[in-house]
mmCIF file of all heavy atoms in Angstrom:
data_model
loop_
_atom_site.group_PDB
_atom_site.id
_atom_site.type_symbol
_atom_site.label_atom_id
_atom_site.label_comp_id
_atom_site.label_asym_id
_atom_site.label_seq_id
_atom_site.Cartn_x
_atom_site.Cartn_y
_atom_site.Cartn_z
ATOM 1 N N VAL A 447 -24.264 16.672 4.863
ATOM 2 C CA VAL A 447 -23.763 18.041 4.978
ATOM 3 C C VAL A 447 -22.398 18.110 4.291
ATOM 4 O O VAL A 447 -21.474 17.379 4.661
ATOM 5 C CB VAL A 447 -23.644 18.474 6.455
ATOM 6 C CG1 VAL A 447 -23.323 19.960 6.534
ATOM 7 C CG2 VAL A 447 -24.923 18.158 7.217
ATOM 8 N N GLU A 448 -22.267 18.970 3.277
ATOM 9 C CA GLU A 448 -21.049 18.957 2.461
ATOM 10 C C GLU A 448 -20.080 20.094 2.744
ATOM 11 O O GLU A 448 -18.878 19.913 2.733
ATOM 12 C CB GLU A 448 -21.411 18.965 0.973
ATOM 13 C CG GLU A 448 -22.106 17.688 0.547
ATOM 14 C CD GLU A 448 -22.094 17.460 -0.946
ATOM 15 O OE1 GLU A 448 -21.925 18.435 -1.693
ATOM 16 O OE2 GLU A 448 -22.269 16.291 -1.338
ATOM 17 N N GLU A 449 -20.613 21.299 2.942
ATOM 18 C CA GLU A 449 -19.692 22.438 3.102
ATOM 19 C C GLU A 449 -20.435 23.664 3.628
ATOM 20 O O GLU A 449 -21.664 23.665 3.706
ATOM 21 C CB GLU A 449 -19.013 22.769 1.767
ATOM 22 C CG GLU A 449 -19.994 23.080 0.663
ATOM 23 C CD GLU A 449 -19.358 23.056 -0.723
ATOM 24 O OE1 GLU A 449 -18.130 22.934 -0.837
ATOM 25 O OE2 GLU A 449 -20.117 23.173 -1.694
ATOM 26 N N ILE A 450 -19.654 24.699 3.934
ATOM 27 C CA ILE A 450 -20.264 25.983 4.270
ATOM 28 C C ILE A 450 -20.741 26.575 2.951
ATOM 29 O O ILE A 450 -20.024 26.525 1.946
ATOM 30 C CB ILE A 450 -19.234 26.909 4.956
ATOM 31 C CG1 ILE A 450 -18.791 26.267 6.281
ATOM 32 C CG2 ILE A 450 -19.802 28.306 5.181
ATOM 33 C CD1 ILE A 450 -17.667 26.970 6.984
ATOM 34 N N GLY A 455 -22.104 32.584 4.371
ATOM 35 C CA GLY A 455 -21.222 31.879 5.302
ATOM 36 C C GLY A 455 -21.900 31.353 6.556
ATOM 37 O O GLY A 455 -21.342 30.520 7.266
ATOM 38 N N SER A 456 -23.138 31.847 6.843
ATOM 39 C CA SER A 456 -23.808 31.364 8.056
ATOM 40 C C SER A 456 -24.612 30.096 7.755
ATOM 41 O O SER A 456 -25.195 29.491 8.651
ATOM 42 C CB SER A 456 -24.739 32.448 8.620
ATOM 43 O OG SER A 456 -25.866 32.576 7.764
ATOM 44 N N LEU A 457 -24.667 29.700 6.490
ATOM 45 C CA LEU A 457 -25.450 28.513 6.110
ATOM 46 C C LEU A 457 -24.539 27.347 5.730
ATOM 47 O O LEU A 457 -23.413 27.542 5.269
ATOM 48 C CB LEU A 457 -26.349 28.837 4.915
ATOM 49 C CG LEU A 457 -27.424 29.920 5.100
ATOM 50 C CD1 LEU A 457 -28.223 30.081 3.815
ATOM 51 C CD2 LEU A 457 -28.347 29.590 6.264
ATOM 52 N N LEU A 458 -25.067 26.146 5.929
ATOM 53 C CA LEU A 458 -24.387 24.942 5.453
ATOM 54 C C LEU A 458 -25.087 24.487 4.184
ATOM 55 O O LEU A 458 -26.272 24.763 3.978
ATOM 56 C CB LEU A 458 -24.481 23.832 6.500
ATOM 57 C CG LEU A 458 -23.805 24.092 7.842
ATOM 58 C CD1 LEU A 458 -24.132 22.964 8.812
ATOM 59 C CD2 LEU A 458 -22.292 24.217 7.672
ATOM 60 N N LYS A 471 -29.214 26.560 8.350
ATOM 61 C CA LYS A 471 -28.348 27.049 9.422
ATOM 62 C C LYS A 471 -27.736 25.875 10.185
ATOM 63 O O LYS A 471 -28.427 24.887 10.456
ATOM 64 C CB LYS A 471 -29.162 27.902 10.410
ATOM 65 C CG LYS A 471 -29.433 29.290 9.936
ATOM 66 C CD LYS A 471 -29.178 30.314 11.048
ATOM 67 C CE LYS A 471 -29.335 31.744 10.600
ATOM 68 N NZ LYS A 471 -28.855 32.084 9.290
ATOM 69 N N GLY A 472 -26.469 25.994 10.551
ATOM 70 C CA GLY A 472 -25.828 24.930 11.317
ATOM 71 C C GLY A 472 -24.349 25.216 11.451
ATOM 72 O O GLY A 472 -23.816 26.082 10.763
ATOM 73 N N CYS A 473 -23.683 24.485 12.361
ATOM 74 C CA CYS A 473 -22.264 24.777 12.559
ATOM 75 C C CYS A 473 -21.394 23.840 11.705
ATOM 76 O O CYS A 473 -21.789 22.706 11.417
ATOM 77 C CB CYS A 473 -21.899 24.707 14.038
ATOM 78 S SG CYS A 473 -22.489 23.214 14.804
ATOM 79 N N PRO A 474 -20.220 24.327 11.332
ATOM 80 C CA PRO A 474 -19.357 23.581 10.405
ATOM 81 C C PRO A 474 -18.960 22.193 10.903
ATOM 82 O O PRO A 474 -18.591 21.344 10.098
ATOM 83 C CB PRO A 474 -18.121 24.478 10.273
ATOM 84 C CG PRO A 474 -18.551 25.826 10.694
ATOM 85 C CD PRO A 474 -19.668 25.659 11.664
ATOM 86 N N GLU A 475 -19.056 21.965 12.224
ATOM 87 C CA GLU A 475 -18.689 20.633 12.760
ATOM 88 C C GLU A 475 -19.588 19.547 12.182
ATOM 89 O O GLU A 475 -19.270 18.363 12.245
ATOM 90 C CB GLU A 475 -18.814 20.588 14.297
ATOM 91 C CG GLU A 475 -17.767 21.393 15.058
ATOM 92 C CD GLU A 475 -18.011 22.888 14.951
ATOM 93 O OE1 GLU A 475 -19.149 23.328 15.201
ATOM 94 O OE2 GLU A 475 -17.063 23.622 14.586
ATOM 95 N N LEU A 476 -20.743 19.953 11.648
ATOM 96 C CA LEU A 476 -21.692 18.954 11.123
ATOM 97 C C LEU A 476 -21.303 18.443 9.732
ATOM 98 O O LEU A 476 -21.879 17.480 9.234
ATOM 99 C CB LEU A 476 -23.101 19.552 11.068
ATOM 100 C CG LEU A 476 -23.677 19.981 12.412
ATOM 101 C CD1 LEU A 476 -24.987 20.734 12.209
ATOM 102 C CD2 LEU A 476 -23.897 18.773 13.304
ATOM 103 N N ILE A 477 -20.306 19.094 9.126
ATOM 104 C CA ILE A 477 -19.915 18.701 7.759
ATOM 105 C C ILE A 477 -19.474 17.235 7.764
ATOM 106 O O ILE A 477 -18.711 16.800 8.627
ATOM 107 C CB ILE A 477 -18.794 19.632 7.225
ATOM 108 C CG1 ILE A 477 -19.376 21.025 6.985
ATOM 109 C CG2 ILE A 477 -18.161 19.076 5.951
ATOM 110 C CD1 ILE A 477 -18.376 22.084 6.604
ATOM 111 N N GLY A 478 -20.001 16.481 6.817
ATOM 112 C CA GLY A 478 -19.663 15.051 6.715
ATOM 113 C C GLY A 478 -20.707 14.152 7.338
ATOM 114 O O GLY A 478 -20.666 12.938 7.174
ATOM 115 N N GLN A 479 -21.679 14.742 8.073
ATOM 116 C CA GLN A 479 -22.722 13.918 8.713
ATOM 117 C C GLN A 479 -23.992 13.873 7.869
ATOM 118 O O GLN A 479 -24.275 14.803 7.106
ATOM 119 C CB GLN A 479 -23.085 14.504 10.079
ATOM 120 C CG GLN A 479 -21.937 14.444 11.059
ATOM 121 C CD GLN A 479 -22.397 14.850 12.449
ATOM 122 O OE1 GLN A 479 -23.547 14.639 12.830
ATOM 123 N NE2 GLN A 479 -21.489 15.445 13.203
#
Side-chain angles (χ1 to χ4, degrees):
V447 188
E448 294 198 338
E449 57 195 353
I450 297 173
S456 72
L457 298 181
L458 297 173
K471 281 225 176 321
C473 49
E475 289 73 50
L476 299 172
I477 291 174
Q479 295 188 31

